[in-house]
Amino acid sequence: VNLQEDKMIPVFLYVMNYFSWTNVILITDDDEKYVAFTTSLEEALILDGKNIVKKVVLSGDYSSELESLQDYNCRVMFVTALWSAWSEAMCELYKLGIYGDDYVIVASGVHLYANRFLKDDDYT
């Protein structure tokens, strides 16, 4: 994880406050750096009066954890993960219908692999 990630926490809080979002779901990779950042983000959100509806760690078979997100009335998610875990999680959320205009999914950490985002299987 880029050590500059912690500098994004005030930005995330600003966006949450600007749009009056109070509930958030946190999704993190099980990599210790991402867990540490997500913990810092969680603490800042709680101090700012936000409600952490659910926290999902992308480890092992997490599909049921993602499926349970449908049970919550929460449309804002912060995802902090390596590219491989992030892309798998996004595919699962798509299959569950958790996407589109009704949802806001903020990705952090993925930018390190942004050059792969819009490439086909041959990375061309």
Side-chain angles (χ1 to χ4, degrees):
V1 170
N2 184 337
L3 296 177
Q4 301 300 314
E5 290 291 328
D6 283 340
K7 293 182 179 180
M8 293 303 297
I9 291 175
V11 175
F12 294 155
L13 292 173
Y14 176 83
V15 171
M16 293 279 301
N17 289 321
Y18 181 84
F19 289 105
S20 300
W21 296 331
T22 56
N23 297 319
V24 64
I25 293 170
L26 300 176
I27 303 173
T28 184
D29 199 334
D30 65 349
D31 180 271
E32 66 182 66
K33 293 176 185 174
Y34 288 101
V35 170
F37 171 73
T38 302
T39 300
S40 296
L41 176 60
E42 180 178 18
E43 291 168 358
L45 289 165
I46 291 170
L47 282 174
D48 200 55
K50 305 302 180 248
N51 180 34
I52 309 302
V53 174
K54 180 140 176 97
K55 187 174 179 180
V56 176
V57 177
L58 302 174
S59 177
D61 182 15
Y62 53 82
S63 58
S64 63
E65 286 286 317
L66 293 179
E67 190 173 337
S68 74
L69 299 181
Q70 295 173 314
D71 300 334
Y72 299 93
N73 186 21
C74 185
R75 307 291 186 210
V76 179
M77 298 172 209
F78 285 98
V79 182
T80 306
L82 292 167
W83 169 258
S84 57
W86 180 86
S87 58
E88 289 175 21
M90 291 302 100
C91 288
E92 288 298 317
L93 292 173
Y94 178 80
K95 291 175 193 174
L96 295 167
I98 301 174
Y99 68 94
D101 294 344
D102 292 334
Y103 295 92
V104 175
I105 300 175
V106 179
S108 177
V110 176
H111 68 280
L112 300 174
Y113 302 94
N115 63 333
R116 294 175 55 191
F117 186 70
L118 296 176
K119 296 186 177 189
D120 60 20
D121 291 338
D122 295 330
Y123 298 102
T124 58

